[in-house]
Amino acid sequence: MLRDEFEWIKSIIPSHSHQKNLLMGIGDDAAIWSVDEDMDQVVCVDTMVEGVHFTRDTLSPAQIGHKALAVNLSDIAAMGAIPQFYLVSIAISPECTEEELHDLYEGMRKLADLYKTDLIGGDTVSTKGPLVLTVTVIGKVEKGKSLYRKNAEPDDVVFLTGITGESAAGLQLLLSKTRQYSFNEAETSLTSQHQMPQPHIKQGRLLAKSGFRTALNDVSDGIASELNEIAEASDVTIHIDEEKLPISSILKSLSKNERLTYQLYGGEDYVLVGTMAEKDFNQVVSEFDKSFLPLYKIGRVTERGETAVLINQEPLTKKGFNHFRER
Amino acid sequence: MLRDEFEWIKSIIPSHSHQKNLLMGIGDDAAIWSVDEDMDQVVCVDTMVEGVHFTRDTLSPAQIGHKALAVNLSDIAAMGAIPQFYLVSIAISPECTEEELHDLYEGMRKLADLYKTDLIGGDTVSTKGPLVLTVTVIGKVEKGKSLYRKNAEPDDVVFLTGITGESAAGLQLLLSKTRQYSFNEAETSLTSQHQMPQPHIKQGRLLAKSGFRTALNDVSDGIASELNEIAEASDVTIHIDEEKLPISSILKSLSKNERLTYQLYGGEDYVLVGTMAEKDFNQVVSEFDKSFLPLYKIGRVTERGETAVLINQEPLTKKGFNHFRER
């Protein structure tokens, strides 16, 4: 039980801001910043609900905070943008202690500091139901450089900025054993992917700064779903080469079927998936190399006019988590 | 029960946008807009929870939508800004029907259209608990013209842009009789103030465009609380003249004590309360007159260095709704 809302809000006001153009953060009716005229502004919002997106068995309070911000930073990354500010709206459940709330905000702050992103506002309210956490992130990207889903064209290379499947495998472990369990090193590596995803901001920036036409999505719902979104937005057919999908060394021991399910439908990996022309791709690979970042070629865009994603010539359907069907 | 999340999201995508500088609304990882270099950007977020901010007995689905957007537009008004965009994150309870959701979004859309404000993003998730609705609004204001709480100075006039107390009186009626009751005309006027508050965007813009130094807050928690925020941020003493507080004709029949409680502590009126120099005030009153908008002088700022709000020489304490104490 918290002492006082006003005291609590005072305790989360940042002592300094990273962004020099912030004019007013927390402390008035709204936050205000001056704009950079060479940049476009970007905004996204995501909500995490206890019992749906996490439970007390899968995420610690600090991990809830980290992840709620990370999934938004990942959306910013998928536009090729630089994060600047975030706002946090939280509906606090009766069971939530002041220490847990503190840890949750600390989890956000630590991640935000890595990307010089400032907390500039929010709302704290009570609920009789589960905890609901909504994070809004604002960023900026050079005019005309944002990376839309609709940018894919025939003959493009399809690429991934990281391995997929570990987060979903980690979630399975957490659901069966809970986070209190003593996991071995390999298992901890999987659970960490689920609990503390690292947004691919750097990768998104390398792609945007390259100036090359790029279609891009972040992998929140699994690459099957994300690639279908790109195929739909661009009206193209995408072929995935199963042999080229990067495989987590930890998941190699699984049956091929089980592993592929994690890789294609797992979701919550928060790597980036996209397409670009082959000649540009080779140049971008060398930029990624310089930063010691992998970039995997996993397929190719073929004709325009038929929206589809194929793997081994079989349709790969959208099969992410659907909040309406699950209810 | 909803058919499909993706279908539902398609159904709420606006067919056109009011803001010509919107580059990407709903349909990618984040929304993007190009900036106006003469303006600063403004952002705020507010959350409404079923069972805390409203119940099925106090607000209809359309009113929930209207009010969730209105309270954010009111924050934008309190900075003197112009609203441009909004994002909606909703955690949907199991009881919520598709028709109710549709009405809720329509309630927002109708209000948004009045102010040429575009829906550009959001998140739809499920919850096993009560409905939680978070709205983020983005706006803009001419560089250096935003109206901060910290702007009050000694000898300023204290003003109100509307009557306070009706919303709280309306809430009392709704709590005792429910919105299904056949209220008479006067009662309906009170309940409407609670259910469908109109943000004072026009008034905020008149104040910002005047160019005069102005301290400003919107009345979400009651003028006692809002004036204390201005007094704290500006480090001044504010005197309220009880005789000058505008009185709702419908509340005149109440005992003075009951009426004053509504007027000072009621909250959710979403009028604006502020301070400015007396000479400037008289000029602004004539601007308000031209638009047939009232502006009430209700007190005066006295010395700097002592933070206090006084009415009839008695301290007027912060006594709004505290979400932590209520739990």
Side-chain angles (χ1 to χ4, degrees):
Chain A
M1 177 66 164
L2 298 174
R3 295 158 303 184
D4 185 278
E5 183 181 358
F6 302 108
E7 284 303 311
W8 159 248
I9 291 168
K10 272 182 197 156
S11 80
I12 57 169
I13 297 177
S15 54
H16 71 288
S17 61
H18 299 288
Q19 300 289 327
K20 298 300 163 235
N21 61 330
L22 180 63
L23 302 172
M24 171 61 72
I26 295 172
D28 216 295
D29 299 290
I32 303 212
W33 71 98
S34 63
V35 298
D36 183 337
E37 55 190 273
D38 301 324
M39 310 291 266
D40 292 325
Q41 292 281 178
V42 183
V43 67
C44 60
V45 63
D46 254 304
T47 294
M48 278 175 37
V49 180
E50 186 174 353
V52 177
H53 299 84
F54 63 89
T55 69
R56 288 178 168 255
D57 286 338
T58 64
L59 299 188
S60 72
Q63 289 164 344
I64 296 167
H66 173 100
K67 192 159 178 176
L69 180 59
V71 303
N72 277 288
L73 290 175
S74 180
D75 280 324
I76 295 290
M79 301 307 271
I82 304 163
Q84 297 172 279
F85 307 115
Y86 69 112
L87 300 92
V88 179
S89 221
I90 187 166
I92 304 165
S93 58
E95 307 82 50
C96 197
T97 68
E98 183 153 352
E99 191 186 349
E100 287 170 341
L101 260 194
H102 173 267
D103 290 351
L104 188 154
Y105 274 78
E106 272 297 288
M108 284 192 278
R109 191 190 57 73
K110 281 182 185 160
L111 179 62
D113 281 351
L114 285 181
Y115 297 103
K116 302 192 188 310
T117 304
D118 294 316
L119 176 64
I120 60 168
D123 198 10
T124 53
V125 300
S126 57
T127 177
K128 293 176 188 94
L131 189 147
V132 178
L133 181 60
T134 298
V135 177
T136 305
V137 174
I138 290 162
K140 61 181 180 180
V141 60
E142 294 81 2
K143 273 184 191 297
K145 295 235 171 153
S146 42
L147 308 173
Y148 297 124
R149 292 174 188 166
K150 66 184 180 195
N151 288 353
E153 289 189 8
D155 296 325
D156 274 5
V157 164
V158 180
F159 64 80
L160 258 183
T161 64
I163 289 167
T164 63
E166 291 192 343
S167 173
L171 174 60
Q172 282 307 314
L173 286 173
L174 289 163
L175 289 175
S176 65
K177 310 271 192 189
T178 85
R179 68 185 168 87
Q180 280 76 26
Y181 185 78
S182 288
F183 291 112
N184 67 30
E185 200 180 321
E187 290 167 335
T188 302
S189 168
L190 298 179
T191 56
S192 298
Q193 280 299 321
H194 178 76
Q195 294 170 320
M196 302 276 283
Q198 299 301 323
H200 282 202
I201 292 285
K202 171 95 180 164
Q203 289 87 334
R205 289 299 297 153
L206 286 177
L207 292 165
K209 283 192 288 184
S210 78
F212 299 134
R213 173 187 54 74
T214 306
L216 200 65
N217 244 355
D218 70 317
V219 181
S220 49
D221 290 334
I223 53 176
S225 179
E226 306 300 341
L227 283 171
N228 268 288
E229 285 188 348
I230 290 175
E232 280 169 28
S234 302
D235 193 21
V236 295
T237 300
I238 293 175
H239 287 262
I240 298 306
D241 187 346
E242 186 203 303
E243 302 291 308
K244 294 211 176 128
L245 285 173
I247 302 174
S248 157
S249 59
I250 307 170
L251 300 184
K252 272 188 180 142
S253 57
L254 298 179
S255 73
K256 183 176 155 189
N257 205 21
E258 195 179 0
R259 172 174 56 75
L260 264 180
T261 302
Y262 283 138
Q263 284 176 288
L264 298 171
Y265 302 108
E268 302 207 65
D269 297 297
Y270 300 107
V271 301
L272 302 175
V273 63
T275 86
M276 64 185 347
E278 178 137 36
K279 64 170 176 28
D280 300 340
F281 179 75
N282 295 330
Q283 214 172 305
V284 168
V285 165
S286 73
E287 285 299 314
F288 271 61
D289 275 349
K290 281 183 210 158
S291 299
F292 306 101
L293 294 169
L295 194 62
Y296 305 102
K297 189 199 295 192
I298 62 164
R300 189 165 290 279
V301 180
T302 56
E303 70 268 47
R304 186 185 296 282
E306 183 141 7
T307 293
V309 180
L310 305 172
I311 185 163
N312 302 335
Q313 306 302 321
E314 295 287 325
L316 187 64
T317 52
K318 234 171 178 169
K319 208 169 78 178
F321 185 83
N322 184 312
H323 278 281
F324 290 2
R325 276 201 298 269
E326 301 295 323
R327 294 195 306 152
Chain B
M1 178 67 164
L2 299 175
R3 296 157 306 183
D4 185 279
E5 183 181 356
F6 302 108
E7 285 302 311
W8 160 249
I9 290 168
K10 272 182 197 156
S11 80
I12 57 168
I13 297 178
S15 55
H16 72 286
S17 61
H18 299 290
Q19 301 287 327
K20 297 300 164 235
N21 61 330
L22 181 65
L23 302 172
M24 173 60 73
I26 295 172
D28 216 296
D29 300 290
I32 303 213
W33 71 98
S34 64
V35 297
D36 184 336
E37 55 189 272
D38 301 325
M39 310 291 266
D40 293 324
Q41 292 282 179
V42 183
V43 67
C44 60
V45 63
D46 254 303
T47 294
M48 278 175 38
V49 180
E50 187 175 351
V52 177
H53 299 84
F54 63 88
T55 70
R56 288 177 169 256
D57 286 338
T58 64
L59 299 189
S60 72
Q63 289 164 345
I64 295 167
H66 173 101
K67 192 160 177 175
L69 180 59
V71 303
N72 276 289
L73 290 175
S74 181
D75 280 325
I76 294 290
M79 301 306 273
I82 304 163
Q84 296 172 279
F85 307 115
Y86 69 111
L87 300 94
V88 179
S89 221
I90 187 166
I92 304 166
S93 58
E95 308 82 49
C96 197
T97 67
E98 184 153 351
E99 192 187 347
E100 287 170 341
L101 259 194
H102 173 266
D103 290 350
L104 188 154
Y105 274 77
E106 272 296 289
M108 284 192 277
R109 191 190 57 74
K110 281 184 185 160
L111 179 62
D113 281 351
L114 284 182
Y115 296 104
K116 302 193 188 310
T117 304
D118 294 317
L119 177 64
I120 60 168
D123 198 10
T124 53
V125 300
S126 57
T127 177
K128 294 177 186 93
L131 189 149
V132 178
L133 180 60
T134 298
V135 177
T136 305
V137 174
I138 290 163
K140 62 181 180 180
V141 60
E142 293 81 2
K143 274 184 191 296
K145 295 234 172 155
S146 42
L147 308 173
Y148 297 124
R149 292 174 188 166
K150 66 184 179 194
N151 288 353
E153 290 188 7
D155 295 327
D156 273 6
V157 165
V158 180
F159 63 80
L160 258 183
T161 65
I163 289 167
T164 63
E166 291 192 344
S167 174
L171 174 60
Q172 283 307 315
L173 286 172
L174 289 162
L175 290 174
S176 65
K177 310 273 192 187
T178 85
R179 68 187 168 87
Q180 281 76 27
Y181 185 79
S182 288
F183 292 113
N184 66 30
E185 200 180 323
E187 290 166 336
T188 301
S189 168
L190 298 179
T191 56
S192 297
Q193 280 298 323
H194 178 76
Q195 295 169 319
M196 302 275 282
Q198 300 301 322
H200 282 202
I201 293 285
K202 171 93 181 167
Q203 291 86 335
R205 290 298 297 154
L206 285 177
L207 291 165
K209 283 192 288 182
S210 77
F212 299 134
R213 173 188 53 76
T214 306
L216 199 65
N217 243 356
D218 71 316
V219 181
S220 50
D221 291 332
I223 54 175
S225 179
E226 306 300 341
L227 283 170
N228 268 288
E229 285 188 350
I230 290 175
E232 280 168 27
S234 303
D235 192 22
V236 294
T237 299
I238 292 175
H239 288 262
I240 298 306
D241 187 345
E242 186 203 305
E243 304 291 307
K244 293 208 177 132
L245 286 172
I247 302 173
S248 156
S249 59
I250 306 169
L251 301 184
K252 273 189 178 139
S253 57
L254 298 178
S255 74
K256 183 177 155 188
N257 204 22
E258 194 179 2
R259 172 174 57 74
L260 264 180
T261 302
Y262 283 137
Q263 283 176 290
L264 298 172
Y265 302 108
E268 302 205 67
D269 297 298
Y270 300 106
V271 300
L272 302 175
V273 62
T275 86
M276 63 184 347
E278 178 137 37
K279 64 172 175 28
D280 300 339
F281 179 75
N282 295 331
Q283 214 172 307
V284 168
V285 165
S286 74
E287 284 301 314
F288 272 60
D289 275 350
K290 281 182 210 159
S291 298
F292 306 102
L293 295 169
L295 195 62
Y296 305 102
K297 189 198 296 190
I298 63 164
R300 189 165 292 277
V301 180
T302 56
E303 69 267 45
R304 186 185 297 280
E306 182 139 10
T307 294
V309 181
L310 305 172
I311 185 164
N312 302 335
Q313 306 301 323
E314 294 287 324
L316 188 62
T317 52
K318 235 172 177 170
K319 208 167 80 177
F321 185 81
N322 184 315
H323 279 281
F324 288 2
R325 274 202 298 270
E326 300 295 323
R327 294 194 309 152

